[in-house]
Amino acid sequence: MPLGLLATGTLSGAATLDWAAATEKANAALAKLSQNDKVNIVTGVGWNKGPCVGNTAAIGSIQYPQLCLQDGPVGVRYGSSVNAFVPGIQAASTWDRALIRERGQFMAEEAKGCGVHVLLGPVAGPLGKIPQGGRNWEGFGADPYLQGIAMAETIEGMQNAGVQANAKHYLLNEQELNRETMSSNVADRTIHELYLWPFADAVHANAASVMCSYNKINGTWACENPRILNTLLKNELGFKGYVMTDWNAQHSTASSATAGLDMSMPGTDFNGGNIYWGSTLTQAVSSGQVPQSRLDDMVRRILAAWYLVGQDNSYPSINLRANVQGTHKTNIRATARDGIVLLKNEGNVLPLRKPSKLGLVGSAAVVNPQGINSCTDHGCNSGALGMGWGSGTAPYPYFSAPADAIRARAQTEGTQISLSASDNVGSVGSVVNGADAAIVFITSDSGEGYITVEGHAGDRNHLDPWHGGNELVRAVAAAHENVIVVVHSVGPVILEKILAEPNVKAIVWAGLPSQENGNALVDILYGDTTPSGKLPYTIAKSADDYGTSPSRGDDDFREGLFVDYRKFDRDGIEPRYEFGFGLSYTNFTYSNIFVDGRPTSGPATGNIIPGGRADLWEIVASVTVTITNSGGVKGAEVAQLYVGFPTSAGTPPKQLRGFGKLVLEPGAEDIITFDIRRRDLSIWDTAKQEWVVPSGTFRISVGASSRDIRQAGTLEVP
Ligand code: BGC
C-alpha cells in the first residue's frame, strides 16, 4: 500500500493470532511431558553451550525443537549473511508505521531463514529518560506513545512472519552504569503512564515473550518482582506469553518462579555456574516451595507462544550461516533515509544543485579503515557510524559510507570531490578551498556497558560530539562560508557551538542509518527525497536542561512524569530543537481541525484482554485535520497530536497521543485522522488501581512538532 493511504493516525490492526487455540495445543502437549522435560523447557542449557545466545533442549515426544533465542533488535546478531536493519531510534524518526512494520517483518524473515525461533527485540526499555543512556538507540525514542506504536507494529510484523518477538527490557533499565546492581525506585503512577505504557502495546500486539531486566525495581530484582511480573504484566495487562530473564539476571530459584518468571536464560552464569533452575527447580517443586501448577504454567506459556506463531509447522533448522538477505535492504534504505531529520537549512543551501566541487571533511565520511565488522559488536567509533554497540547489533553485509555514495553521485554530475577523512583541523583549508559547499561529518556513539569505547562505558560521558567535532566544524567554518554539518548520533548532541558559527548553513541529523548510511544521505542531500524525519527526542541547549543523568547508586526517578519534552514544557525551558521537530524542502499548511467524540469520565471497566482492560483500547474520539503541501516539491509530513489534560489530572502540559504521515504532491491536500483511544485520555489512579478518564476540558493540539502547533481544539468530557 502506498504510504499516503496508510498514513493516518489510526492504530495498528488487531492481531490475527489466537492465544486460546495455541494454549489448547500447549495443554495437549503438556500432558505428554515428564517432569524432566518440563524443567528442560524452562531452563537454558547454559552459556555458550548451543548455536544461539540462548538455547533450550529439544523434547522429542512433542516434536519440540532445540529452541534458538538470538539477538536482537536490528536483525540476526552473528548471522553470516544477514542485513543489519536500522536501530529502533532511526525507525522511530521516520514516524512511519508501514516502514516500521515492514522492518519487523523483514527482520523476522531473516531470523526464520536462520532457524531462530525467538528474536530478542524490540526494545521499549530504556525509554530514554537519561539522554546519555547507553542503549537508548535500541528503542523508539523518549515518548511512551511513540514507543508503544512502534513496539506494536514491529511485533505484529515479526510474529505474522512466524518469529516470536521479545519485548525487552522489562522494566526501568534506563542506564548502563550499575545496571546489574542498582534499584530503580519509581512511583506507581510514573510506572504506568511512562514505562509500562509501551509494554502494554507490546502485550496488546500479542508479544510471545518479555525479557525481565537486570536491575532491581523498588528494591526487588526485576526477574523476581511479583508486582512487576505477576501483578502488572500477567494480571493487569493479561500477558499470555512467557517471561525470560535477561542473560544472567536471575538471583533465586523459588522466588523468581513464584514471582512470575517462566524461563531462565542462558541457564547458567557466564562461567557455567549459578544454576538457579534445572535440577534445583525440580527439587524446589518436589519440596513444595514452587507449586507444580506454577511449573506447568511456565511450560504452557512457552509452548503456547511457540504454537501461536506456527513454529510447530515445518520450521527451518538452525543455521546462522544461511544467506537470508533477500531484497530486505530496500527497507533499510527507506528507514535510513526517512529517519533523517533536517534541523537547519538557511538560505535553502540544500538540496544540492549540481555543485561543481564539494569538500568532504571528517573521519566519519569513510568506511571504518579497520573493516566494517572489525570491532566486536560494533564496539568502536571509527569511520562512518551506522549504529551503537553491544548485543543489540548485527554485522553489516556491506557499508555505504557518505564519501563513497557522494562520489558515485558526483560522477554522474561531473562534480569534483575533495576529501579529508580525518578529524585533524590542519588539513581542512585545502580540502574545502574552491568548493561550492563543505560537508563536515561528526558523530556521537554509545552502547551496552560490557564494552567501553574511548572512555564511554556504555552510557555517554557527555553530549558533545566525539573526536573534537565542535573544533572540526569551527575549522571548516573558518575556511568556508557554506558549511553543511552531518551528524550521525545515538541521541541528542549539544549543538550550540556549531550553531554559533554563522557559516554553518545546514545541519542534517542523519541518526543511525546502519549499512545504508551514505546512500540514504545522498537521497536527502540531493533532494531525490524531501526530508521527512522528525526528532524522537529533544535536543537541548545544555545537557543540564534534561534534568536527568546516569545515577551512581540507586535512581529514585524524582523527575516522575517529567522526562524529555514533558519537562521542558513544564519548566518553560526553550529547547534548541524540540521533540517532533524536522524541516522539509517543501511547506505544509494545516487547516479545518474537527474534533469528534463524547468520551465519558471514570474508570475503565472492561474485561482483561492482552494489553489490559478491553475498553482502554476502544476509540472514543477522532480528530481530523487537512494538510496541504503548499510548497514547491513533493514531500511527506508527520503531523502530531498532543493532548493537554484538565489541570486536575496533574499531567505534563501536553503529551503525544497521535501521529500520522502523509505523502503529498505540491498543491495537493489530504485529511489525516487521529483516532484517540480511551487509554489516551486516561491517567493511572493509584488509589483505585485503575485507568481513569478525568472529567473536564481536554486541549487537543495538532502540529508539525511538539511546539509548532498549527491547529487546536477541545474535547469536553462530562
Ligand atoms: C542484554 C540483552 C541481550 C542478552 C543476550 C544482555 O546483556 O541486556 O538485551 O538480549 O544480553 O545477548
Side-chain angles (χ1 to χ4, degrees):
M1 224 185 287
L3 189 63
L5 290 180
L6 260 192
T8 67
T10 8
L11 303 150
S12 60
T16 49
L17 307 170
D18 181 352
W19 281 109
T23 305
E24 203 173 304
K25 287 187 191 170
N27 278 330
L30 185 65
K32 299 185 192 149
L33 299 178
S34 68
Q35 190 75 336
N36 205 32
D37 291 339
K38 293 177 186 176
V39 169
N40 282 338
I41 286 174
V42 306
T43 310
V45 298
W47 180 239
N48 267 338
K49 292 225 176 85
C52 303
V53 299
N55 311 271
T56 57
I59 310 291
S61 59
I62 57 167
Q63 288 87 50
Y64 184 70
Q66 177 186 23
L67 201 71
C68 166
L69 301 91
Q70 188 73 358
D71 293 304
V74 297
V76 184
R77 184 186 182 196
Y78 305 141
S80 301
S81 191
V82 296
N83 281 294
F85 289 82
V86 300
I89 200 72
Q90 191 79 3
S93 300
T94 70
W95 301 67
D96 185 325
R97 288 180 171 77
L99 280 181
I100 294 171
R101 192 180 187 89
E102 183 187 68
R103 171 179 173 272
Q105 178 195 326
F106 286 0
M107 288 194 296
E109 285 172 3
E110 298 199 5
K112 182 170 179 178
C114 292
V116 170
H117 300 93
V118 188
L119 192 62
L120 300 171
V123 173
L127 179 76
K129 76 150 188 162
I130 301 170
Q132 297 87 348
R135 300 182 75 180
N136 293 350
W137 59 273
E138 294 186 41
F140 299 105
D143 177 89
Y145 182 91
L146 179 57
Q147 287 253 9
I149 298 291
M151 287 294 281
E153 295 292 359
T154 305
I155 290 166
E156 289 179 10
M158 288 172 70
Q159 296 195 162
N160 288 341
V163 172
Q164 299 183 43
N166 177 247
K168 69 185 190 183
H169 305 85
Y170 184 75
L171 194 66
L172 297 156
N173 181 180
E174 291 291 316
Q175 63 179 56
E176 287 303 282
L177 179 65
N178 298 328
R179 70 173 180 179
E180 282 156 57
T181 51
M182 69 181 295
S183 179
S184 295
N185 302 324
V186 191
D188 190 31
R189 180 169 177 190
T190 305
I191 290 184
H192 278 84
E193 294 184 20
L194 287 188
Y195 300 95
L196 186 64
W197 183 285
F199 285 95
D201 290 272
V203 174
H204 191 60
N206 292 311
S209 66
V210 165
M211 184 189 289
C212 52
S213 54
Y214 283 115
N215 51 292
K216 294 177 187 168
I217 296 164
N218 296 327
T220 305
W221 296 111
C223 293
E224 58 182 57
N225 192 313
R227 166 125 186 111
I228 292 296
L229 301 181
N230 279 338
T231 308
L232 297 189
L233 184 62
K234 291 183 172 175
N235 297 340
E236 197 179 302
L237 296 185
F239 176 57
K240 299 253 190 282
Y242 59 99
V243 179
M244 69 176 73
T245 62
D246 198 341
W247 267 232
N248 195 30
Q250 194 175 6
H251 294 266
S252 61
T253 300
S255 306
S256 54
T258 55
L261 180 69
D262 303 302
M263 186 187 272
S264 170
M265 275 294 143
T268 63
D269 64 19
F270 297 120
N271 300 315
N274 259 344
I275 304 172
Y276 287 109
W277 282 6
S279 56
T280 319
L281 179 61
T282 312
Q283 284 157 22
V285 176
S286 349
S287 68
Q289 278 179 285
V290 174
Q292 178 68 40
S293 59
R294 181 71 265 273
L295 175 60
D296 289 350
D297 178 51
M298 296 174 194
V299 175
R300 186 182 299 114
R301 287 169 174 275
I302 294 167
L303 294 180
W306 179 68
Y307 287 119
L308 181 80
V309 298
Q311 291 182 342
D312 55 321
N313 198 354
S314 62
Y315 203 74
S317 47
I318 301 169
N319 176 14
L320 298 183
R321 303 186 64 80
N323 183 341
V324 290
Q325 294 175 59
T327 56
H328 298 153
K329 69 178 182 190
T330 55
N331 179 269
I332 304 170
R333 173 80 166 255
T335 44
R337 174 193 72 212
D338 292 353
I340 292 176
V341 184
L342 182 64
L343 293 181
K344 180 181 165 103
N345 191 20
E346 202 182 306
N348 293 328
V349 295
L350 290 174
L352 299 171
R353 297 166 196 87
K354 290 198 165 61
S356 47
K357 181 180 172 188
L358 290 173
L360 313 182
V361 179
S363 64
V366 298
V367 167
N368 178 356
Q370 277 79 52
I372 58 175
N373 295 309
S374 57
C375 307
T376 305
D377 298 328
H378 296 315
C380 60
N381 183 12
S382 311
L385 186 67
M387 62 180 64
W389 71 79
S391 65
T393 57
Y396 301 124
Y398 63 88
F399 195 97
S400 159
D404 302 325
I406 292 172
R407 249 190 235 287
R409 176 57 179 255
Q411 263 176 17
T412 68
E413 294 182 350
T415 307
Q416 189 193 336
I417 298 291
S418 61
L419 167 70
S420 163
S422 138
D423 303 318
N424 185 342
V425 296
S427 44
V428 160
S430 57
V431 173
V432 302
N433 190 20
D436 301 33
I439 310 182
V440 196
F441 295 87
I442 61 173
T443 63
S444 178
D445 201 358
S446 74
E448 200 173 340
Y450 66 89
I451 300 176
T452 294
V453 177
E454 300 182 35
H456 301 258
D459 302 326
R460 288 187 285 170
N461 296 336
H462 56 71
L463 299 184
D464 294 321
W466 287 30
H467 307 156
N470 284 331
E471 291 68 37
L472 187 64
V473 172
R474 192 195 306 139
V476 177
H480 203 282
E481 69 291 340
N482 198 17
V483 178
I484 297 161
V485 178
V486 175
V487 191
H488 286 109
S489 176
V490 287
V493 166
I494 304 304
L495 296 169
E496 298 308 295
K497 289 189 176 150
I498 289 170
L499 287 161
E501 297 295 336
N503 286 340
V504 170
K505 299 285 163 49
I507 301 182
V508 179
W509 192 260
L512 293 180
S514 191
Q515 67 201 42
E516 286 287 338
N517 178 315
N519 292 332
L521 184 67
V522 162
D523 289 340
I524 296 297
L525 288 180
Y526 283 83
D528 298 344
T529 304
T530 301
S532 64
K534 303 249 176 151
L535 289 177
Y537 42 72
T538 297
I539 296 183
K541 292 182 179 173
S542 155
D544 295 338
D545 290 346
Y546 294 97
T548 49
S549 57
S551 291
R552 288 187 198 289
D554 294 347
D555 184 351
D556 292 334
F557 284 60
R558 291 221 171 80
E559 70 291 333
L561 297 172
F562 298 92
V563 307
D564 202 83
Y565 68 89
R566 290 165 166 79
K567 174 187 161 54
F568 287 74
D569 287 351
R570 180 196 61 185
D571 294 349
I573 299 172
E574 204 189 317
R576 174 51 66 188
Y577 297 112
E578 71 271 17
F579 179 89
F581 178 85
L583 299 174
S584 171
Y585 296 150
T586 185
N587 288 313
F588 297 96
T589 49
Y590 289 57
S591 59
N592 294 333
I593 187 168
F594 182 66
V595 182
D596 190 24
R598 297 273 306 157
T600 48
S601 60
T605 54
N607 293 334
I608 302 288
I609 59 165
R613 292 203 183 279
D615 47 345
L616 288 171
W617 300 90
E618 284 166 10
I619 293 164
V620 294
S622 290
V623 177
T624 51
V625 166
T626 303
I627 314 258
T628 308
N629 182 345
S630 46
V633 293
K634 179 181 169 182
E637 174 69 337
V638 176
Q640 301 150 47
L641 181 145
Y642 294 86
V643 171
F645 283 67
T647 325
S648 63
T651 50
K654 54 177 137 46
Q655 308 198 77
L656 182 72
R657 288 294 187 255
F659 64 86
K661 192 165 189 173
L662 280 179
V663 181
L664 293 169
E665 296 291 336
E669 63 172 44
D670 205 345
I671 293 172
I672 196 154
T673 304
F674 304 93
D675 287 334
I676 299 177
R677 305 158 301 186
R678 185 168 188 89
R679 74 188 292 238
D680 297 325
L681 302 177
S682 297
I683 58 172
W684 179 252
D685 185 319
T686 52
K688 289 200 178 76
Q689 290 289 297
E690 293 290 356
W691 288 98
V692 172
V693 177
S695 62
T697 304
F698 286 73
R699 282 164 291 117
I700 306 291
S701 307
V702 176
S705 81
S706 62
R707 294 213 164 187
D708 183 4
I709 302 304
R710 307 287 184 85
Q711 293 274 291
T714 55
L715 188 60
E716 295 300 333
V717 178

